[in-house]
Amino acid sequence: MAPESKRDFWDKLAIILQPVGGLLTAVAIALLGYFSSDYLNRRQAIETNTRLYSELMSRREESESALRKDMFVTIITSFLRPARGDLATDVLNLELLAYNFHESLNLKPLFTDLKRRIMKDEESSRSAAARADLAAYQERLERVAREIARKQMIVLEGVGRKVDRTVDLTGDPEGSTLEPASLTLDQIETRFSIDVLGVDRKNREISVGLTVETPDPEHGRQTKTANFTVSYFDFPMIDNTRLDRGQRCSVVLNSFSDQSADLTLVLFPGTYASLKEKPYYNEVIESVLSASKKLGP
């Protein structure tokens, strides 16, 4: 019979750790299963909540779109029907239309038509109370127009560049040229110059000539001109001038008094124009190519 060999320290340690190793393996498997199951449950909960949130937002947008559609049809029908309503109702309807649809509709024709009706009634009115009411209606029109322009300018100033200019109305400014300005947007420098062509003090309108100079790598500096009238009813997202490389510019009338008129010229990306303004295909292609060049190979 062979003598029994003595177990050394490592043999004893192996005997002790063998069941411990099995236990640790079982614990590790259990923990892995627990954490895997917990991770899958949390991921499934997130996906469920995300899907539920998306469905709720989709239904909310559908209901809001339906409400806005009904509101738009009701309000616009009041302006298009043969029998016009009273001025108080029309002013209120235009306020509702302007505050809810100013980014997608050109409301200037409605503003100017309603203002024309108010001024016509003022000329034929003999009652001081009636004239006061008509003046109040006109003030409401101009107030809502300035508020809409201010809201749009806040958005455009955040993504673009602007410059303020003042027209001196103490004399006859016709034929004068305001101080030129250079604005840089997306590394494109554009030079602007505004000429005052005429002033309609009664209707608070200024006829201007806008000259725009932009650099062109192939043909040198390009010059464009545009003549138009600026009033409180011209909104920058709607009434703007197309420039090269998808940019837009607009001139906004901020205030008009007997002494002066304050104008703001804003330069902004064309993507922030109104919803009715669709970009040209060449602008989209140039934008995509420009973004590809920035990313590099």
Side-chain angles (χ1 to χ4, degrees), residues 46-101:
I46 294 174
E47 292 177 352
T48 302
N49 292 336
T50 302
R51 184 169 59 255
L52 178 60
Y53 178 77
S54 300
E55 292 177 358
L56 290 176
M57 291 300 296
S58 177
R59 292 177 182 176
R60 178 181 176 181
E61 291 179 359
E62 290 177 359
S63 61
E64 288 183 353
S65 298
L67 177 62
R68 288 169 61 85
K69 176 184 176 182
D70 294 340
M71 178 188 299
F72 174 77
V73 172
T74 302
I75 296 175
I76 202 66
T77 302
S78 67
F79 289 102
L80 299 178
R81 65 175 180 263
R84 305 297 291 271
D86 62 284
L87 285 175
T89 302
D90 287 344
V91 170
L92 177 60
N93 287 335
L94 185 54
E95 286 176 333
L96 292 173
L97 198 63
Y99 281 123
N100 288 280
F101 302 96

Side-chain angles (χ1 to χ4, degrees), residues 87-126:
L87 285 175
T89 302
D90 287 344
V91 170
L92 177 60
N93 287 335
L94 185 54
E95 286 176 333
L96 292 173
L97 198 63
Y99 281 123
N100 288 280
F101 302 96
H102 64 88
E103 292 184 354
S104 54
L105 292 177
N106 187 354
L107 299 174
K108 183 177 180 178
L110 292 179
F111 274 101
T112 54
D113 179 67
L114 196 51
K115 181 178 180 179
R116 178 189 57 80
R117 291 171 55 195
I118 293 174
M119 296 180 67
K120 182 179 179 181
D121 288 351
E122 277 184 324
E123 293 176 355
S124 61
S125 177
R126 298 182 179 180

Side-chain angles (χ1 to χ4, degrees), residues 143-156:
R143 183 171 61 249
V144 67
R146 292 197 302 268
E147 177 67 14
I148 295 303
R150 185 188 67 83
K151 289 182 177 181
Q152 293 188 2
M153 284 295 294
I154 290 176
V155 176
L156 299 182

Side-chain angles (χ1 to χ4, degrees), residues 165-174 176 178 196 199 201 206 256-263:
R165 291 291 181 264
T166 300
V167 180
D168 186 5
L169 298 180
T170 55
D172 184 8
E174 184 175 348
S176 62
L178 305 182
V196 180
V199 177
R201 299 175 185 269
I206 301 178
F256 192 106
S257 65
D258 294 334
Q259 291 74 34
S260 64
D262 293 330
L263 302 176

Side-chain angles (χ1 to χ4, degrees), residues 31-47:
L31 290 176
L32 179 62
Y34 171 77
F35 286 113
S36 298
S37 177
D38 181 65
Y39 172 77
L40 293 175
N41 290 335
R42 285 189 289 109
R43 185 176 181 84
Q44 185 177 3
I46 294 174
E47 292 177 352

